[in-house]
Amino acid sequence: MVQGAPRTTAELFAGRRCMLVSVPGAFTTICDAVHLPGFVDKAHEFKQRGLDPVFVAVNDSAVMEAWGEVHGAGGKVELVGDGNGELTRALGLLVDMSVKGMGSRGKRAAMIVDDLVVTWLVIDTLCEFRSTRVESVLEDLYAVCLLYTSDAADEEDSVDLGGRRIIKKKKSRHRTP
């Protein structure tokens, strides 16, 4: 859980591999009923793959801490409050949801952040909850693991998962801010 002084992206992600999940907000309908509980239940599967599950939402740290307590996330999923939306904006995921009375929020997204480098990313459209479901993410990770452990690890490769194409390219050096 994140409490106290704000942390930089380097403090959050340097030297570690994370499954970073962006959600519109703590205690919102889908996030609260399905999204976070699914990742809490399957946290061990991410950790077995060397990924620390981390959720980020445009909420303050006290709200994120309370949300984590309700779902028993402690020791399973780290919750990061992005109160000003700075990280979410820098990732290109900030969206204006004022029409729903929610102000600026994060799009639903899941990504692997490997030592500050985003190496895999999926983003749901605003009206869907498909690619970032825990089951979809784990299915995609299985495919990505197959790609990264193949003999052609330095060449571009891809796999189609029921309309979702997963592409593995040579490692990019695009960094999170």
Side-chain angles (χ1 to χ4, degrees):
M1 307 294 168
V2 176
Q3 281 287 353
R7 295 190 288 172
T8 66
T9 54
E11 291 168 328
L12 286 169
F13 304 116
R16 68 191 282 212
R17 290 183 69 224
C18 301
M19 170 53 62
L20 178 62
V21 180
S22 169
V23 295
F27 297 109
T28 57
T29 307
I30 292 173
C31 301
D32 193 51
V34 183
H35 219 165
L36 179 59
F39 277 84
V40 169
D41 289 344
K42 304 282 185 177
H44 65 281
E45 294 189 41
F46 292 97
K47 291 182 181 198
Q48 286 173 345
R49 289 171 172 81
L51 296 166
D52 298 327
V54 179
F55 261 58
V56 64
V58 182
N59 289 113
D60 64 58
S61 59
V63 169
M64 295 299 281
E65 182 176 20
W67 192 36
E69 287 174 3
V70 166
H71 290 285
K76 297 178 182 176
V77 177
E78 182 179 356
L79 300 176
V80 176
D82 186 18
N84 295 326
E86 293 169 359
L87 174 60
T88 305
R89 180 180 300 106
L91 290 168
L93 299 173
L94 197 66
V95 62
D96 184 1
M97 295 181 72
S98 297
V99 71
K100 293 186 175 188
M102 296 175 70
S104 294
R105 296 296 177 135
K107 294 178 186 177
R108 287 185 200 288
M111 66 193 80
I112 294 174
V113 180
D114 188 351
D115 193 21
L116 297 169
V117 178
V118 173
T119 60
W120 176 84
L121 167 70
V122 292
I123 302 173
D124 279 329
T125 66
L126 290 179
C127 299
E128 110 182 320
F129 174 51
R130 186 181 109 165
S131 297
T132 63
R133 285 179 167 274
V134 71
E135 299 84 3
S136 297
V137 170
L138 286 168
E139 180 181 295
D140 290 356
L141 284 180
Y142 178 73
V144 169
C145 287
L146 287 178
L147 289 173
Y148 276 89
T149 57
S150 71
D151 291 335
D154 290 332
E155 298 175 17
E156 182 172 312
D157 204 354
S158 68
V159 66
D160 189 335
L161 295 173
R164 294 188 332 266
R165 186 167 179 231
I166 307 298
I167 300 172
K168 186 223 67 163
K169 296 183 178 181
K170 291 182 181 179
K171 191 167 184 178
S172 169
R173 295 311 304 172
H174 296 295
R175 292 189 170 268
T176 56

